[in-house]
């Protein structure tokens, strides 16, 4: 088989499709028939220096993919599969892999490094392959640079795959010593030095203890800073990447190094090649992120329990930092506005300037204004664009009091530039800046309005005119109009935009029909803006919104009529259908929300529903999401009458609930079930068996993304509220599920913020289920069916209270459930409630809460409990 494997691996990379397909089949067959032999022959291929590099690389890649996958459930399967392999086979594979680290072929070494790290990620947490780190460290003293380089690379990948808890501190120290020595300027081989610098990046999470020790930290910092001066550009870039990672991981340990780091970064930004300069700017952006987070969390006043104080590094660096960033704004690229993924020095500098403005607020304004005033009228477009970009970048952060007087002067100038500047870049940035002005300095919360009856017409004239400009400028003009409209979302009965409403809608529809609307996201931006203009419109323009309904319906109808499209056209078609469904959703919400327009609008409901059902017949996830959301809105608007559509819609509802792969569709469909429950109430009963079966299936599947599970629990509550005591037959299925989920979520091993946030969503979903079920059975002769579950519910509430890591939403729902329990079960539950911690300490805490929603729920719970206990 050995010769054959080589040939099959080479054939699998053939340009000839049929040879390739045949080879892939053979590999698949070999893997299915004899996995141990398959993995052994791959690792032997990878280790064999006689073999061609292409077959070795692919062998390593297939090995790596046999150990890891993107989807969590598939990854778990692969981990189990590896762990259950014969020990002898695994040992032989590892021998081959470690052997490959000394191969003269770079690609083979690098692939072996990654595979070793993947196996380590599986085995080290299981206390297996304990000798790995030791044997890698003994390689470090090899004289051959390529062996040293591969070993350090492996240590770096290993740190990426394994969590710090798995490696003991003694080994961590040895790994860091090896890596930092490899970074030293005295290291003769640039390849080793590069591998070591990249490895340090991955190992930083392991270095908590070392960064707490002044001597060790000084040493690491010195080596990193020295590496930023290496003659090799890749090493300099990797060293700055380390500094960026250090700035977020060890922010509180940086004070004594900041002056040096400023000098190094400033030199790199001014003189070094772009990839290095970008990372040097990223360091300061990262420091801003840290300080913004700290200041947000503590609102600026530090108490003894603040985790990390703010060191105000940005404030101290301002006088030198701002001029450095302003210089970068003049280094634009000619075509950056056309290229969506563009990222260059000027863009990085402007982004950082924006973060600096959010970090220090008003202090930045006097440092930037002279630059703007000096450059805004210069003949060179680069200077005008940089000045405009600088202005747009500092509009979020400083107070309206500080900015409003400047904006009032600048507004006219900007509007003129948007119409008359000969340069597209300048127009693009001007339209973006106007959007930022409207986003941050216009709206009901701003005391001095910058938009008045007088200038409103001029602003609109310019924006609507600008929508006819080239796509990238038109797209930014749509964005500015979006924020202009948003500023009036709660502006009372009259909006200054109302007189121009018809004109605005017409202009946006015209943009969606432009030949070039596919460029620069222009069509999408036009629909997003149209939706916002409709959403923020007032009653007086409702008749115009009503006229929009048949127009958008007709457009959706036309997209459904087109036959025989190429795959590229089909994709564009799907995107357009999604945008049109989204637009209809907003219109339905708007017209359905007011009694005066609802009845006139409902004459279209049958036709709209028909269109949506036709959209479902096209197989495309994004379009299904948008159509589902729109149907949810339609159900809300039509209320109980929606029942006439259920027969036709139910198969698609079920299809959405079964869609594990595109879990967003599944999550949205679960939300729509909630909308249907509220609209149809007990008329949803005939469909509940199917819906409940599917929801229970979803919950017990390990393939469904975890984020869909909390809304499914809430959905049980919606169904119980809608059908009341008819929910009885589902209790034996859903209560045990709620119970086990409650136990899991009460004591969550919340290692990180993201996990805690998810756990709280899960808790909230479970509590909403309990709340809906309890309220659904209220005043029913069958309430006693819930009594056996009451002790568990109370125990869940007590545990949550004792864990002390609920967020406000969970707290409000939890105290609400306590009230529902008392309210529905009354005196039957009185004694139980009396014994619980929740009815005393937890209730007390909620009654004295600053959050009025929590307090309100607690007042109600207190009343319900006193009735239950008295009863």
């Amino acid at each position: 088989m050995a010769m054959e494997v080589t040939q099959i691996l080479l054939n699998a990379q053939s340009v000839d499709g049929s040879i390739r397909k045949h080879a892939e089949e053979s590999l698949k067959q070999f893997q299915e028939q004899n996995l141990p032999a398959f993995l052994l022959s791959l690792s032997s291929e990878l280790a064999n220096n006689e073999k061609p590099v292409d077959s070795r690389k692919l062998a390593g890649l297939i090995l790596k993919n046999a150990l890891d996958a993107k989807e969590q459930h598939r990854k778990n399967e692969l981990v189990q599969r590896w762990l259950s392999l014969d020990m002898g086979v695994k040992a032989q594979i590892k021998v081959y892999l470690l052997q490959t680290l000394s191969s003269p072929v770079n690609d083979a070494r690098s692939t072996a490094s990654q595979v070793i790290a993947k196996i380590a990620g599986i085995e080290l947490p299981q206390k297996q392959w304990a000798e790995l780190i030791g044997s890698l460290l003994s390689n470090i003293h090899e004289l051959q640079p390529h062996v040293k380089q591969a070993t350090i690379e492996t240590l770096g990948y290993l740190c990426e795959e394994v969590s710090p808890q798995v490696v003991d501190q003694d080994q961590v120290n040895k790994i860091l010593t090896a890596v930092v020595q490899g970074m030293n300027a005295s290291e003769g081989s640039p390849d080793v030095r590069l591998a070591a610098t990249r490895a340090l990046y991955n190992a930083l999470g392991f270095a908590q203890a070392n960064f707490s020790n002044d001597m060790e930290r000084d040493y690491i910092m010195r080596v990193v800073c020295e590496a930023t001066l290496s003659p090799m550009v890749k090493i300099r870039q990797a060293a700055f990447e380390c500094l960026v990672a250090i700035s977020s991981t060890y922010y509180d340990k940086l004070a004594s190094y900041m002056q040096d780091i400023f000098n190094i970064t400033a030199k790199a930004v001014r003189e070094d090649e772009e990839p290095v300069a970008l990372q040097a700017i990223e360091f300061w952006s990262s420091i801003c992120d840290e300080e913004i987070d700290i200041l947000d969390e503590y609102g600026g006043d530090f108490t003894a329990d603040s985790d990390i104080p703010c060191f105000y590094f940005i404030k101290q660096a301002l006088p030198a930092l701002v001029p450095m960033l302003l210089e970068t704004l003049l280094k634009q690229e000619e075509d950056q506005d056309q290229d969506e993924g563009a990222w260059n020095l000027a863009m990085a500098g402007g982004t950082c300037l924006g973060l600096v403005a959010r970090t220090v607020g008003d202090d930045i304004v006097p440092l930037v204004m002279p630059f703007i005033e000096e450059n805004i009228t210069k003949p060179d477009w680069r200077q005008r664009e940089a000045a405009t970009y600088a202005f747009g970048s500092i509009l979020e952060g400083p107070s309206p009091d500080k900015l409003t007087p400047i904006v009032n002067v600048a507004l006219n100038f900007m509007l003129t530039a948007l119409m008359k500047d000969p340069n597209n870049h300048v127009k693009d940035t001007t339209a973006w800046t106007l959007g930022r002005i409207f986003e941050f300095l216009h709206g009901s919360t701003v005391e001095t309005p910058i938009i008045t009856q007088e200038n409103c017409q001029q602003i609109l004239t310019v924006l609507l005119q600008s929508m006819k400009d080239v796509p990238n400028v038109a797209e930014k003009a749509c964005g500015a109009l979006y924020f202009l409209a948003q500023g009036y979302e709660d502006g009372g009965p009259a909006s200054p935009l109302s007189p121009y409403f018809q004109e605005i809608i017409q202009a946006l529809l015209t943009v969606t029909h432009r030949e070039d609307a596919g460029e620069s996201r222009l069509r999408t931006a036009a629909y997003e803006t149209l939706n916002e203009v409709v959403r923020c419109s007032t009653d007086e323009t409702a008749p115009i919104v009503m006229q929009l309904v048949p127009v958008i319906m007709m457009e959706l109808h036309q997209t459904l009529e087109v036959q025989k499209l190429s795959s590229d056209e089909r994709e564009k078609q799907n995107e357009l259908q999604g945008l049109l469904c989204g637009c209809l959703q907003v219109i339905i919400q708007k017209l359905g929300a007011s009694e005066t327009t609802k009845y006139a609008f409902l004459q279209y409901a049958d036709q709209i529903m028909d269109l949506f059902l036709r959209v479902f017949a096209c197989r495309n996830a994004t379009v299904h999401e948008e159509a589902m959301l729109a149907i949810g809105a339609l159900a809300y608007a039509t209320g109980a009458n929606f029942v006439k559509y259920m027969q036709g819609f139910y198969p698609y509802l079920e299809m959405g609930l079964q869609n594990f792969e595109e879990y967003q569709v599944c999550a949205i469909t679960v939300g729509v079930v909630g909308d249907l429950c509220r609209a149809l109430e007990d008329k949803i009963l005939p469909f509940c068996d199917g819906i409940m079966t599917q929801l229970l299936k979803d919950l017990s599947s390990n393939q469904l993304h975890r984020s869909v599970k909390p809304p499914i629990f809430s959905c049980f509550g919606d169904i119980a509220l809608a059908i009341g005591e008819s929910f009885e037959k589902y209790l034996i299925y859903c209560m045990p599920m709620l119970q086990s989920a409650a136990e899991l979520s009460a004591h969550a091993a919340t290692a990180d913020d993201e996990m805690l946030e998810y756990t709280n969503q899960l808790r909230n979903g479970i509590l909403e289920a309990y709340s809906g079920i309890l309220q659904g059975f209220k005043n029913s002769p069958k309430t006693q069916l819930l009594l056996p579950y009451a002790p568990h519910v109370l125990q869940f509430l007590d545990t949550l209270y004792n864990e002390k890591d609920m967020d406000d939403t969970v707290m409000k729902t939890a105290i609400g459930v306590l009230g529902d329990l008392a309210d529905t079960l009354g005196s039957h539950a009185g004694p139980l409630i009396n014994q619980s911690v929740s009815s005393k300490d937890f209730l007390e805490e909620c009654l004295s809460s600053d959050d009025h929603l929590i307090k309100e729920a607690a007042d109600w719970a207190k009343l319900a409990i006193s009735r239950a206990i008295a009863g």
Side-chain angles (χ1 to χ4, degrees):
M1 195 71 192
M3 184 52 227
E4 257 180 52
V5 166
T6 308
Q7 200 46 56
I8 295 171
L9 287 166
L10 292 173
N11 288 353
Q13 306 174 63
S14 159
V15 276
D16 179 331
S18 61
I19 295 181
R20 199 168 58 237
K21 196 166 179 343
H22 182 68
E24 284 165 0
E25 285 302 312
S26 311
L27 287 168
K28 193 170 169 219
Q29 221 175 339
F30 185 9
Q31 177 167 6
E32 282 162 6
Q33 281 164 2
N34 190 343
L35 182 69
F38 177 68
L39 297 176
L40 267 172
S41 65
L42 290 174
S43 49
S44 146
E45 183 80 19
L46 177 60
N48 189 337
N49 287 325
E50 312 289 295
K51 298 289 185 183
V53 63
D54 285 341
S55 70
R56 296 175 72 181
K57 256 173 75 176
L58 183 58
L61 188 67
I62 298 173
L63 263 178
K64 191 173 122 184
N65 292 338
L67 297 162
D68 195 13
K70 279 201 171 67
E71 290 86 18
Q72 194 54 48
H73 70 97
R74 176 74 185 131
K75 186 178 176 148
N76 297 343
E77 282 167 18
L78 294 173
V79 166
Q80 286 315 315
R81 188 177 81 171
W82 171 263
L83 288 171
S84 57
L85 273 179
D86 174 74
M87 290 304 272
V89 172
K90 286 189 287 199
Q92 186 54 53
I93 292 173
K94 293 173 191 170
V95 170
Y96 281 136
L97 289 168
L98 289 168
Q99 200 179 315
T100 313
L101 293 183
S102 50
S103 163
V105 180
N106 186 18
D107 282 334
R109 292 198 305 271
S110 186
T111 311
S113 290
Q114 294 172 46
V115 181
I116 291 170
K118 291 286 177 205
I119 296 176
I122 297 173
E123 293 201 357
L124 292 183
Q126 306 283 337
K127 305 273 184 276
Q128 298 176 15
W129 208 4
E131 67 281 10
L132 169 66
I133 294 177
S135 64
L136 287 172
L137 290 168
S138 65
N139 261 357
I140 296 284
H141 308 298
E142 282 285 332
L143 299 173
Q144 294 164 299
H146 70 268
V147 182
K148 197 168 175 178
Q149 176 254 333
T151 305
I152 288 179
E153 192 176 332
T154 309
L155 288 168
Y157 287 134
L158 186 136
C159 292
E160 198 176 9
E161 292 294 333
V162 177
S163 80
Q165 292 82 351
V166 174
V167 185
D168 65 52
Q169 187 58 43
D170 179 47
Q171 286 196 314
V172 170
N173 293 344
K174 287 179 177 158
I175 292 174
L176 282 169
T177 304
V179 167
V180 175
Q181 276 174 351
M183 285 177 68
N184 239 322
S186 59
E187 170 56 57
S189 152
D191 290 345
V192 171
R193 204 174 169 197
L194 177 60
T197 312
R198 287 178 176 162
L200 179 67
Y201 178 86
N202 287 331
L204 282 167
F206 288 70
Q208 299 287 352
N210 314 79
F211 262 82
S212 304
N213 172 319
D214 293 357
M215 261 174 63
E216 293 183 35
R217 183 179 64 244
D218 284 346
Y219 181 56
I220 296 172
M221 291 300 290
R222 197 190 79 224
V223 172
V224 172
C225 290
E226 278 171 7
T228 63
L229 308 171
S230 155
M232 194 171 148
V233 67
K234 281 186 169 161
I235 293 178
R236 296 201 298 277
Q237 184 183 342
F240 275 113
E241 282 168 6
C242 286
L243 276 180
V244 174
I246 290 169
S247 70
S248 60
T249 316
Y250 301 109
Y251 167 84
D252 56 328
K253 304 271 191 287
L254 286 176
S256 57
Y257 312 105
M258 283 312 265
Q259 188 56 56
D260 291 338
I261 294 177
F262 181 81
N263 297 339
I264 296 169
T265 49
K267 186 172 162 47
V269 170
R270 292 195 167 110
E271 297 166 21
D272 212 327
E273 292 180 45
E274 187 173 85
V276 183
L278 285 173
Q279 286 303 320
I281 293 177
E282 187 58 37
F283 172 83
W284 291 101
S285 293
S286 171
I287 294 282
C288 289
D289 286 333
E290 291 304 309
E291 298 199 341
I292 290 168
D293 281 352
I294 294 170
L295 296 170
D296 273 357
E297 206 166 316
Y298 304 117
D301 50 335
F302 298 111
T303 47
D305 61 354
S306 307
D307 298 349
I308 294 177
C310 184
F311 287 96
Y312 298 101
F313 291 138
I314 299 295
K315 201 172 185 153
Q316 290 161 28
L318 267 188
L321 181 61
V322 172
M324 169 180 97
L325 293 172
L326 291 171
E327 267 174 55
T328 64
L329 302 187
L330 293 158
K331 299 185 178 165
Q332 309 95 324
E333 283 169 8
E334 287 291 344
D335 52 357
Q336 65 183 42
D337 297 333
Q338 272 66 35
D339 171 12
E340 261 195 43
W343 185 247
N344 56 41
L345 211 55
M347 295 166 88
T351 303
C352 187
L353 193 64
L355 288 166
V356 171
R358 284 175 53 200
T359 312
V360 301
D362 289 359
D363 293 354
I364 197 168
V365 179
L367 292 170
V368 176
M369 284 318 292
F371 176 84
I372 298 172
E373 284 156 1
E374 185 188 339
N375 290 292
I376 196 89
T377 52
K378 283 287 198 315
D380 177 357
W381 72 266
R382 288 177 181 281
Q383 290 175 285
R384 297 198 304 280
E385 194 274 340
T388 314
Y389 189 20
F391 188 46
S393 297
I394 62 165
L395 291 168
E396 182 188 7
S399 62
D401 294 350
K402 186 85 175 168
L403 291 172
T404 305
I406 305 170
V407 168
N408 282 330
V409 176
L411 197 58
N412 258 339
F413 187 91
M414 297 270 161
L415 292 168
T416 311
L418 186 53
M419 295 309 292
K420 303 210 168 117
D421 200 288
N423 181 278
N424 269 336
H425 288 287
V426 178
K427 285 200 260 188
D428 180 298
T429 306
T430 303
W432 173 77
T433 301
L434 284 167
R436 303 257 302 170
I437 290 175
F438 302 150
E439 182 178 1
F440 299 113
L441 296 169
H442 152 63
S444 52
T445 51
V446 182
E447 284 171 25
T448 359
I450 45 171
I451 295 160
T452 55
Q453 291 292 356
E454 294 75 50
N455 65 12
C456 187
Q457 184 177 3
Q458 184 203 359
I459 291 171
L460 279 169
T461 309
V462 170
L463 290 180
L464 298 190
Q465 185 59 40
S466 188
M467 284 185 212
K468 300 178 183 145
D469 210 321
V470 293
N472 57 302
V473 175
E475 187 264 335
K476 300 284 193 308
C478 287
L481 180 54
Y482 176 99
F483 289 115
L484 183 64
Q486 196 180 67
Y488 295 116
E489 69 184 316
D490 37 16
S495 154
L497 301 186
S498 297
Y500 315 103
F501 195 76
Q502 179 89 46
E503 221 181 311
I504 293 171
I505 298 283
Q506 201 41 62
L508 286 163
L509 287 172
T510 308
V511 173
T512 65
H513 294 141
R514 277 175 57 157
E515 286 291 309
D516 54 5
E519 296 169 33
S520 296
R521 279 189 73 254
L522 178 55
R523 183 177 287 114
T524 307
Y527 277 113
E528 283 171 355
T529 304
L530 178 63
N531 296 349
E532 199 59 11
V533 167
V534 168
R535 197 178 68 78
C536 301
S537 60
T538 56
D539 290 346
E540 60 181 313
T541 49
I544 303 172
V545 178
M546 194 70 80
Q547 289 163 19
L548 197 52
V549 179
V551 176
I552 302 290
M553 279 169 61
M554 191 60 205
E555 300 219 352
L556 185 54
H557 173 76
Q558 282 164 352
T559 67
L560 292 162
E561 291 300 300
V562 187
Q563 300 301 320
K564 307 223 177 351
L565 293 173
S566 70
S567 66
D568 197 32
E569 292 167 324
R570 161 87 49 230
E571 198 177 319
K572 289 199 175 106
Q573 200 65 343
N574 284 336
E575 191 183 346
L576 181 57
Q577 284 172 355
L579 292 167
L580 291 164
C581 288
C583 185
L584 280 170
Q585 183 204 342
V586 174
I587 295 173
I588 294 167
Q589 280 171 331
K590 189 73 192 172
L591 297 174
S594 127
E595 291 303 318
T596 39
T597 51
K598 190 159 140 176
Y599 294 103
F601 161 71
L602 287 176
Q603 62 180 345
Y604 294 114
D606 290 2
Q607 289 162 280
I608 290 185
M609 196 61 200
D610 275 346
L611 284 171
F612 289 153
L613 293 180
R614 287 182 62 193
V615 167
F616 279 121
C618 315
R619 300 256 181 246
N620 178 282
T622 332
V623 187
H624 284 192
E625 279 183 50
E626 296 295 341
M628 239 345 140
L629 287 166
I631 285 178
L634 189 62
Y636 182 80
T638 43
N641 291 335
F642 191 84
V643 75
K644 63 178 173 180
Y645 307 125
M646 279 304 286
Q647 216 54 51
F649 171 52
Y650 182 74
Y652 297 110
L653 185 74
E654 194 161 63
M655 203 167 81
L657 293 175
Q658 285 163 352
N659 195 340
F660 289 169
E661 286 69 49
E662 290 129 358
Y663 66 89
Q664 287 91 341
V665 177
C666 188
I668 286 168
T669 311
V670 171
V672 169
V673 172
D675 296 335
L676 293 172
C677 290
R678 287 181 279 281
L680 298 173
E681 293 181 329
D682 58 359
K683 290 199 175 78
I684 197 168
L685 191 55
F687 303 96
C688 283
D689 281 2
I691 292 173
M692 282 299 292
T693 305
Q694 205 42 61
L695 291 176
L696 290 162
K697 246 191 214 150
D698 285 356
L699 278 179
S700 45
S701 152
N702 60 353
Q703 291 176 328
L704 184 61
H705 194 273
R706 66 175 195 184
S707 64
V708 190
K709 298 199 170 173
I712 291 178
F713 285 127
S714 309
C715 196
F716 288 164
D718 296 330
I719 294 172
L721 264 177
I723 63 174
E725 61 180 38
S726 307
F727 195 79
E728 171 192 354
K729 62 174 167 181
Y730 307 125
L731 286 174
I732 56 166
Y733 303 106
C734 76
M735 283 313 232
M737 278 209 165
L738 281 166
Q739 215 154 327
S740 60
E743 278 158 21
L744 276 175
S745 77
H747 307 287
T750 40
D752 52 60
D753 295 352
E754 200 180 309
M755 192 61 207
L756 181 61
E757 191 180 336
Y758 173 70
T759 301
N760 274 320
Q761 286 165 355
L762 196 57
R763 292 165 171 175
N764 199 52
I766 296 164
L767 290 164
E768 284 181 342
Y770 283 143
S771 173
I773 293 168
L774 286 162
Q775 289 177 40
F777 277 84
K778 193 183 172 185
N779 299 333
S780 141
K782 295 184 175 169
T783 35
Q784 80 283 353
L785 290 170
L786 299 180
L787 259 179
Y789 305 111
H792 174 76
V793 174
L794 284 165
Q795 188 195 334
F796 181 45
L797 296 175
D798 287 356
T799 316
L800 285 181
Y801 174 66
N802 291 328
E803 287 283 311
K804 299 274 182 271
D805 55 6
M806 281 183 281
D807 59 21
D808 287 353
T809 317
V810 176
M811 206 167 201
K812 174 184 149 306
T813 323
I815 207 67
V817 168
L818 184 66
D820 293 330
L821 192 75
D823 190 39
T824 297
L825 297 176
S827 55
H828 299 296
L832 276 172
I833 292 175
N834 230 349
Q835 291 154 22
S836 69
V837 183
S838 302
S839 63
K840 303 181 189 59
D841 305 4
F842 185 27
L843 184 62
E844 285 307 314
E845 190 175 310
C846 293
L847 284 167
S848 55
S849 168
D850 304 337
D851 184 322
H852 73 97
L853 290 171
I854 294 179
K855 190 171 169 352
E856 219 169 90
D859 287 335
W860 179 79
K862 185 180 175 181
L863 186 69
I865 291 171
S866 59
R867 281 201 213 117
I869 291 172

